[in-house]
Structures are given as C-alpha cells and as structure tokens.
Amino acid sequence: MKKPRVDIALGSADAAQLSRQGADALVFLVSKDIQPGAGALSKLARAALDAGDLETQPGSVLMMYRPPGIGATRLILACIDDQSVAHVRAGIQAAIGLARSRSLGRLAIGFASDASAHALRTVVSAIFERTYVYAATKSAPETPPKVLEKVWIAARNAEALKPVLDRAIAIAEGVELARHWGDLPANHATPARLAEAAMALAKVPRFKCEVLGPQDIGKEGMRAFMAVAQGSAEPARFIVLRYEGARKSRPPVVLIGKGITFDSGGISIKPSEGMDEMKYDMAGGASVLGAFQSLARLKPPINVIGLIPACENLPGTSAMKPGDVVSSLNGQTIEILNTDAEGRLVLCDALTYAERFRPAAVIDVATLTGACVVALGSVRSGLFATDESLASALLAAGEAAQDPCWRMPLDDAYAESLKSNFADVANLGGRGAGSVTAAKFLQRFAQKFPWAHLDIAGVAWNGGAAKGATGRPVGLLVEYLLATAQEP
Ligand code: BES
Ligand code: MN
Ligand code: ZN
C-alpha cells in the first residue's frame, strides 16, 4: 500500500527536547495558564501571553523567526486553552495556514504536556484537510507547494496515543478519497469510473469487488434502480465491495452509498441555479469507498460489504416519467410522482439486495433530501434507525470521530403521505418533514435486518469559498465499524 500523503510521526519529547527539535517550524500549543518551566519554550510562551502578544482566543497565533534557544527555524505559538476541539482546530489551522503560505515542508507540533485523543485527531484531520489540493481537472494545476511532507507530533503521552494516530491517519485518507470523488465533475466521475475506483481499492488481500452492468442489473430485477438510470446514456453500475477480515460465519455490516453521479432531477427537473453541485449526489457512495480505503489501512477483524448503486438522473428520451409505476427488487410497486426523488429508488433495490448477506446491520448513506439540509444544516447528519443499539453506536461513533449525527423520528404516522392509488407506495411524501418521509419510504425495504439511514445532504458539501466535498461521514462510519470489532 502507498504511504500516507503526509508522513506523521508521534513521539514523547518534553519541552526541553522540543526546543532543540530541528524543523522549518515548531508549532507549540499552549494553554493560557502555562507555567514557565525548564527550557526556552514555556518561558517564551508565558511571556508572550503576559504581554498580550499571544492572544487567548482560538485561532490567534504568534510567529517568531529564529528565536534564541529554539532549534527550529520558526516558532509558532498557538493558544489552545483547554484542548477543546474548536480551540485545537483553530490553532492548528492558523499554524498550517502560515506553514502553507511559506511553503514549509517539515513541521514539528508540540503539546505542552499530555494530548487528548480528541486533540490529536483534530491535529491529524486538520493537517490533511488543509493540505488537500484538487488538481484533477486543471490543465496547469498550481504546483502544490511542497508543504507539510513531514510532521512530528510531540506529546508526553505519545505511547498511549499511537492507536489513535493510526486510526486518525487511516480516516484522513478515507476522507480524502471521498472528497476527491465528490469534487470530481460528473463527466469524469461516471458510474463506470466509480466502479473502476472500487476495483482498484480491492486489489489488496482480503478485499473483493464485483461490478454489475446494465444487463446484470436487469437480470437481478432491480427495476426501481433501472428506472432512474434509463434517462441517461451513461450506463449504470452496481458496485459490490467486500472486506473479509473475520471468519466467514461472522455476519457482515453492509454499507450502502447513494451513487447518483449527477442529479438533474430528471423530468421533474431542478432549477439551474446551483445545479452543478448535484455532481456530489454520489457522496454517499464516495463515503463507502472512503471507508473501504480506511479498512485497507487498519484491517480490523470484521466483515464489511459495500453496495453502491451508481447512475445519472437525467431527462433523456427514455427517462422515467411522473406517474410511472415500477416494480422494485422485492416486488413492491412504486408510483413515481417526482423523478427528483430518485435517491430512494436506487436505494430501495440496494436494501433488498443486502438481504442476501444476512447482515448484522445495514447502514445506508445518502445525500437524500434538501429537507434534511433545512432541518440540520451542515453540522450534523440526519440519523434514522430502527434498532436502538445501532442508533446509539452510530451517535457515539459520530461524537468520537468529530463527525456527528442527530437522531430523527420514524413514527408510522409520517408514512401516511406516501400512500398511492396506483401502486403499493409513492416515491413522494407530503409538504412537511421531507427527510422523514424519505426515510419512511426506505424503511419499507429494510424490514429484515437492523437498519440505519444517514441523510448527509447537508454535511457532505461545503458552500462558499470552501466550495467542495467534505469527505463526511467517512469518520463516523469507520469509527462505528472499528467499534463493532470489539463485539463477539
Ligand atoms: N439529491 C437530492 C437531495 C439534495 C438536495 C442533496 C440538496 C443535496 C443538496 C435528492 O435527490 C432530491 O432531489 N430530493 C428532493 C426530494 C423531493 C423531490 C421529494 C428534494 O430534496 O427536493
Ligand atoms: Mn433528486
Ligand atoms: Zn439526488
């Protein structure tokens, strides 16, 4: 396997050793009540705080060039107060911003004493996040500055933190893969290319990948999925990834990722403003690829299946039409009232397909509804679950991975509006609670296993200047999967 893009090492240097460490810059993370001790570092930090030159609000940093007694060429002081995620993130991001602007390649990062697991994860994810460069479709990519090739992190409790570091790096790599595919335009990230990426991931021991094309999908009987795909000339793919890290008899967790490589809305076409962003409608699928990338690094003793129904949703001449009724893989008929509610159509067949693995749990991940963006914004994914222990495991994994979700309801009363006069169910609910009615639709196809659904429409993409994919919820998924390794 390729080495991680950034080489990160962890050691337990004390303040005196840290001050001698050679690097392009030494970032020293201090709390505002740091006491001046042995060595130059803590004295400098204390003095800078007392003078007010190092401010205590998150994100303020002070850089010095060749301060006496310091081995590194530059010293960057960052006040992180209580090691809270917000403080560490702000401090590290500011420090990395400085390192980037000066193209520094070798960075040492020191905690004044012990680092919390949360703080270390924050450092690692911020390093990868801030040095990610999208270049895939630029003719003359700004030669990415040779920034942060080597990072040393020092904390007094380094030994205990080693597993946390490995996990954080593996997750960062998975996040990066998911970001890459989310960012890639739809004419590049086609279903076929997505399938090739899955195949490439499976080239290592214990991984397998099988890809179904349009004919196989038809033979299977995934007609709800086919209905979405049929409006586009771009052939669909149904991707089946397997990771076998445990004995065969151990029931797998199945991850399903929505893989709409472009969602125009189909005949129920979307407004043109912002439609370009619908290239990330395969972010759920990308997060499944990302999770498998992390698994390849960590090789936990579990079994995992990844399913990605991938196609475009376009208004072609053979596109599905409002009012059409299709028969899904499990025989339920569906009246398509809005062709823009296509995610649930591809997912319902994937959910039925998942039954054959006799899974311990099935988690589908999808940029499913604009309504979820309205409900939860970009902070938390919407979590829907039919199983209490699965729900609490996912909530806990989200907190641990700093990739949080929020439980949403599944009362049967929400399903009332999905009733159809012409089929078993309609693919469109009423005016209110759009993310819940979408989940209620999916629930009809998730009766045979503990099931959870993550609506990531709000969290998978950044708007504004940082426009682009976030790689969420790879962290949540990987954290959850690793936790299941503890169960018998
Ligand atoms: N992919 C969209 C949901 C979406 C919206 C993702 C905004 C990311 C940002 C999904 O296929 C869709 O179009 N949903 C419709 C459902 C409606 C027609 C019931 C929606 O949310 O408007
Ligand atoms: Mn849609
Ligand atoms: Zn969609």
Side-chain angles (χ1 to χ4, degrees):
M1 239 188 135
K2 251 179 49 189
K3 281 197 190 139
R5 185 171 57 75
V6 188
D7 180 7
I8 303 181
L10 180 65
S12 60
D14 61 19
Q17 290 166 310
L18 210 55
S19 56
R20 290 194 295 273
Q21 170 78 50
D24 294 326
L26 165 62
V27 180
F28 192 46
L29 303 166
V30 295
S31 64
K32 65 172 184 280
D33 46 19
I34 185 173
Q35 295 307 315
L41 265 180
S42 55
K43 291 196 183 72
L44 268 171
R46 187 66 260 162
L49 279 162
D50 289 342
D53 283 280
L54 176 59
E55 293 171 74
T56 52
Q57 71 259 38
S60 43
V61 290
L62 176 64
M63 183 158 89
M64 288 159 258
Y65 188 70
R66 292 197 185 283
I70 303 296
T73 312
R74 299 160 193 82
L75 172 64
I76 301 172
L77 296 176
C79 181
I80 58 166
D81 204 8
D82 54 356
Q83 289 202 18
S84 71
V85 169
H87 277 240
V88 176
R89 186 167 291 277
I92 281 293
Q93 287 194 337
I96 293 172
L98 283 171
R100 265 191 78 124
S101 64
R102 287 164 178 77
S103 295
L104 307 183
R106 300 173 318 129
L107 204 63
I109 300 173
F111 286 87
S113 56
D114 285 359
S116 69
H118 260 304
L120 179 60
R121 278 169 175 276
T122 307
V123 168
V124 172
S125 66
I127 289 170
F128 275 83
E129 201 177 299
R130 288 292 301 248
T131 55
Y132 166 85
V133 179
Y134 176 84
T137 48
K138 294 193 180 172
S139 64
E142 326 121 38
T143 25
K146 291 225 161 200
V147 70
L148 297 199
E149 292 171 321
K150 174 83 198 180
V151 178
W152 295 271
I153 302 175
R156 206 170 52 188
N157 56 335
E159 211 42 56
L161 286 174
K162 280 260 159 45
V164 179
L165 178 72
D166 293 342
R167 186 177 288 204
I169 292 174
I171 289 176
E173 287 185 292
V175 165
E176 195 152 305
L177 186 83
R179 282 181 80 178
H180 170 77
W181 283 99
D183 282 343
L184 210 58
N187 64 328
H188 293 259
T190 60
R193 296 275 284 277
L194 216 54
E196 282 166 22
M199 286 290 214
L201 272 177
K203 279 205 175 105
V204 292
R206 296 194 235 169
F207 285 78
K208 286 190 192 122
C209 181
E210 184 191 351
V211 176
L212 312 191
Q215 290 204 325
D216 316 300
I217 295 164
K219 260 188 239 149
E220 268 298 330
M222 295 194 253
R223 282 199 276 274
F225 175 27
M226 283 166 68
V228 178
Q230 75 198 26
S232 169
E234 202 62 63
R237 294 286 186 272
F238 190 85
I239 303 166
V240 185
L241 266 165
R242 289 163 198 259
Y243 166 63
E244 285 158 3
R247 53 172 217 279
K248 278 220 159 32
S249 59
R250 186 186 169 103
V253 171
V254 177
L255 302 179
I256 300 177
K258 174 177 172 182
I260 300 295
T261 56
F262 189 74
D263 181 13
S264 72
I267 297 294
S268 317
I269 199 160
K270 289 180 181 293
S272 47
E273 165 127 30
M275 206 206 267
D276 62 292
E277 297 191 351
M278 279 301 114
K279 67 177 179 178
Y280 88 93
D281 212 17
M282 34 56 71
S287 75
V288 172
L289 292 183
F292 270 77
Q293 164 73 52
S294 305
L295 289 175
R297 183 70 76 192
L298 296 169
K299 300 239 160 73
I302 53 174
N303 295 326
V304 186
I305 306 278
L307 304 177
I308 306 172
C311 70
E312 292 186 336
N313 184 24
L314 289 191
T317 49
S318 48
M320 59 178 173
K321 302 165 291 297
D324 283 0
V325 173
V326 295
S327 175
S328 66
L329 179 57
N330 79 353
Q332 291 186 64
T333 60
I334 303 164
E335 184 184 15
I336 296 161
L337 288 177
N338 188 317
T339 65
D340 198 10
E342 85 297 340
R344 60 198 77 179
L345 296 173
V346 308
L347 292 171
C348 70
D349 280 348
L351 284 164
T352 304
Y353 192 93
E355 286 173 10
R356 69 193 61 191
F357 302 106
R358 301 186 186 286
V362 176
I363 303 161
D364 76 71
V365 188
T367 47
L368 202 63
T369 64
C372 193
V373 189
V374 174
L376 297 174
S378 58
V379 179
R380 287 175 186 266
S381 305
L383 166 67
F384 300 83
T386 53
D387 182 275
E388 294 309 306
S389 64
L390 179 57
S392 40
L394 287 167
L395 284 165
E399 299 304 321
Q402 299 167 19
D403 186 359
C405 57
W406 193 256
R407 184 98 182 254
M408 301 284 280
L410 279 172
D411 304 73
D412 282 334
Y414 285 109
E416 281 301 310
S417 62
L418 290 169
K419 286 195 170 138
S420 162
N421 284 356
F422 306 106
D424 301 345
V425 65
N427 82 329
L428 184 67
R431 280 199 160 273
S435 70
V436 188
T437 51
K440 289 305 288 180
F441 178 95
L442 294 178
Q443 190 186 355
R444 298 174 63 97
F445 300 85
Q447 298 295 314
K448 304 214 168 135
F449 35 68
W451 166 72
H453 157 60
L454 288 164
D455 194 331
I456 60 163
V459 305
W461 187 258
N462 279 325
K467 183 170 176 174
T470 63
R472 288 179 67 183
V474 170
L476 185 164
L477 295 175
V478 173
E479 196 65 39
Y480 165 76
L481 291 172
L482 294 177
T484 66
Q486 312 305 319
E487 293 158 15

